[in-house]
Amino acid sequence: MAKEKTTFTCTECGGTSPRWLGKCPSCGAWNTLIEQVAEAGPGKNRLSAPQGYAGLANAQPVLPLAAIEAQDVARTPSGIDELDRVLGGGIVEGGVVLIGGDPGIGKSTLLLQAMDALQRAGLPTLYVTGEESGAQVALRSRRLGIEGSQVQLLAEIQLEKILATVDAMQPAVVVIDSIQTTYSDQLTSAPGSVAQVRECAAHLTRMAKGTGIAVILVGHVTKEGALAGPRVLEHMVDTVLYFEGDTHSQFRLVRAIKNRFGAVNEIGVFAMTEKGLKGVSNPSAIFLSQHSEPVPGSCVMVTLEGTRPLLVEIQALVDSGGPSPRRLSVGLDKDRLAMLLAVLHRHAGVACMDQDVFVNAVGGVRISEPAADLAVMLSITSSLRGKALPRGFLAFGEVGLAGEVRPAPRGQERLKEAAKLGFSVAVVPKANAPKKPIEGLTIHAVERVEEAMDVVRGL
Ligand code: TYD
Ligand code: MG
């Protein structure tokens, strides 16, 4: 048996080293070297290549693009509408999906529901559980009311055994729950290590491409919010979905952050109920908290990170801080918060230097689009002054370092949704101001952040 040779590869520059080093010898980045099997010797335990890709040794013909027939990929809807929406229509033959999220957020629940629906639609499915025993999964299926399910279950964590089962069973879809518990005995590194996760995912991806079996990998998110084995897995797979939401609230978002077969940033919205996850087909108002009277430090925005607008309340609390005041954000980018505070000070004369500033996007939703800037700034100012924004108020727009307010994509749609939900006053970037008035909505179009502050003062 050929001796396994491991090298260490830098995740930043791709440089290699024969030993693990804290600092990459090529680019000088710290903690970027990860173990990698350089030579996959024909080990005794290694499975032979699945049928179908042995033929890859023969080079494919080179053809001009025009001569190649473009085929739309065939998708099988999972039967769960909100999941199909993020997948771009359904499960794709040979497609590999990575689904990440905090523990307890509902990954296993959603996938068990989806597998049961696919199985009932006539696709043979295999659910490989490495985190829970078969009995635990059965218990969950009772809870979901699918106890008669024909989904095949395998409680196994060793990759070679999983691949052998898949080979023998030839399912249409395989779920690996989770990729972090899966290990290959060909590698010396510990299960759950980056090298193991990466090699196992690479094997499963090759198997999917070679056989046309769709593979769904469940991945855990580290404390910093990245999938363990950062970036490496995201590059390998076709689709990356992330679960968002607060485990204390009922609502969960599934967001596509990469999709070779569909739109990115599409979101699916679910509610966790006693009987599993239920799709929320009209979600625009679920992230608004109900205040009987308007309160200081709260501003509603419309976010549009998919095809549907969502109204989200941004809350801020500004309170006198110590010598080094804190800036904390939940659901919003912390660096961006620091930048917005600087812009507020410099261009609108609102100083928070000696204040603690906390901001939060209500409901555990994460907002990455800069269109949240204006709402963040207005909620901070509102909290600082102890003055609530009027009832039915909303704002959106990106704010630049020079204090300019830049337009958000598809402003009309955002405004229409807000009007539909009964909002009556909006502060928006000038370029987003609609040509025709929207019934029930007074729109203040602004070009600069100080202008926005003036408008709000006069309301
Ligand atoms: P789970 O799918 O096990 O999360 P993950 O695989 O992402 O770690 O979800 C577990 C949580 O969901 C747990 O706290 C219980 C809750 N839950 C419900 O509220 N209703 C249900 O029908 C089910 C199955 C779980
Ligand atoms: Mg789980």
Side-chain angles (χ1 to χ4, degrees):
M1 178 174 155
K3 183 141 178 3
E4 199 91 328
K5 207 170 91 189
T6 49
T7 52
F8 292 84
T9 311
C10 174
T11 51
E12 292 295 323
C13 72
T16 56
S17 158
R19 299 174 288 131
W20 189 84
L21 296 167
K23 187 176 177 184
C24 171
S26 313
C27 69
W30 287 95
N31 283 331
T32 53
L33 291 185
I34 57 166
E35 184 184 358
Q36 197 178 29
V37 177
E39 201 177 279
K44 244 199 332 227
N45 292 334
R46 192 163 289 263
L47 284 176
S48 54
Q51 290 160 357
Y53 81 82
L56 281 183
N58 303 327
Q60 297 286 330
V62 178
L63 294 171
L65 261 182
I68 301 171
E69 208 181 318
Q71 279 179 336
D72 205 16
V73 282
R75 301 156 204 270
T76 313
S78 69
I80 298 178
D81 291 346
E82 293 294 305
L83 179 63
D84 290 337
R85 171 189 287 279
V86 279
L87 286 172
I91 304 273
V92 175
E93 208 175 278
V96 183
V97 179
L98 173 66
I99 177 156
D102 293 333
I105 200 148
K107 301 180 293 297
S108 306
T109 305
L110 178 64
L111 290 177
L112 196 56
Q113 288 178 275
M115 288 307 104
D116 180 61
L118 284 169
Q119 180 77 40
R120 274 189 281 118
L123 290 188
T125 54
L126 175 65
Y127 192 105
V128 182
T129 169
E131 306 233 315
E132 293 163 305
S133 65
Q136 282 170 308
V137 180
L139 203 62
R140 174 176 297 127
S141 73
R142 304 267 130 67
R143 205 168 160 186
L144 298 173
I146 53 168
E147 54 267 49
S149 176
Q150 290 304 307
V151 173
Q152 303 295 303
L153 195 81
L154 170 69
E156 181 57 69
I157 54 174
Q158 197 192 323
L159 178 73
E160 287 73 17
K161 290 186 184 156
I162 295 171
L163 288 172
T165 308
V166 170
D167 204 33
M169 196 191 134
Q170 291 292 320
V173 190
V174 185
V175 168
I176 308 289
D177 187 359
S178 66
I179 190 67
Q180 274 98 354
T181 50
T182 311
Y183 79 99
S184 162
D185 62 2
Q186 314 252 318
L187 288 185
T188 47
S189 46
S193 65
V194 175
Q196 283 280 6
V197 168
R198 179 192 165 112
E199 279 302 304
C200 290
H203 261 280
L204 289 161
T205 305
R206 275 201 296 273
M207 184 273 291
K209 301 298 164 203
T211 58
I213 297 173
V215 174
I216 304 178
L217 307 173
V218 174
H220 287 294
V221 167
T222 61
K223 283 197 202 77
E224 295 81 45
L227 282 171
R231 303 226 190 102
V232 188
L233 291 191
E234 294 184 358
H235 280 152
M236 243 180 253
V237 301
D238 299 307
T239 306
V240 181
L241 306 182
Y242 271 103
F243 254 101
E244 288 173 17
D246 190 341
T247 38
H248 305 295
S249 102
Q250 186 194 4
F251 296 109
R252 306 281 190 275
L253 291 186
V254 178
R255 189 188 297 268
I257 61 159
K258 163 180 173 179
N259 197 350
R260 288 187 186 144
F261 307 118
V264 287
N265 266 336
E266 190 60 88
I267 55 174
V269 185
F270 294 92
M272 181 61 95
T273 68
E274 260 314 293
K275 291 191 156 185
L277 288 160
K278 296 249 163 17
V280 180
S281 52
N282 190 7
S284 56
I286 61 174
F287 294 108
L288 295 178
S289 61
Q290 306 294 330
H291 303 290
S292 49
E293 284 299 318
V295 293
S298 155
C299 181
V300 173
M301 73 162 295
V302 195
T303 174
L304 222 168
E305 292 189 271
T307 46
R308 288 178 302 186
L310 274 185
L311 279 97
V312 180
E313 180 184 336
I314 307 290
Q315 294 187 337
L317 179 68
V318 181
D319 198 17
S320 55
S324 52
R326 281 179 294 175
R327 276 89 181 79
L328 272 180
S329 67
V330 179
L332 293 151
D333 185 19
K334 190 161 162 263
D335 294 335
R336 196 143 187 109
L337 171 62
M339 188 196 101
L340 294 178
L341 287 172
V343 174
L344 256 184
H345 179 222
R346 185 66 182 267
H347 296 286
V350 180
C352 302
M353 267 98 71
D354 51 354
Q355 309 277 331
D356 286 340
V357 180
F358 308 98
V359 293
N360 175 29
V362 172
V365 56
R366 265 177 231 150
I367 303 178
S368 54
E369 63 163 1
D373 292 353
L374 206 50
V376 171
M377 289 173 130
L378 290 175
S379 61
I380 290 172
T381 321
S382 158
S383 173
L384 184 70
R385 297 190 173 135
K387 190 165 180 283
L389 291 159
R391 188 182 290 281
F393 178 90
L394 90 143
F396 61 82
E398 179 180 348
V399 176
L401 283 178
E404 81 280 18
V405 177
R406 298 199 205 118
R410 292 155 59 203
Q412 301 279 322
E413 264 171 72
R414 299 182 200 236
L415 288 169
K416 281 197 184 126
E417 188 66 26
K420 207 164 83 189
L421 288 165
F423 281 77
S424 53
V425 193
V427 172
V428 300
K430 191 150 225 157
N432 284 137
K435 295 199 179 59
K436 276 189 272 166
I438 296 177
E439 206 187 309
L441 196 59
T442 312
I443 292 168
H444 299 275
V446 296
E447 277 181 310
R448 301 204 41 87
V449 57
E450 50 271 37
E451 227 179 297
M453 297 295 154
D454 286 345
V455 167
V456 168
R457 226 176 274 127
L459 285 174

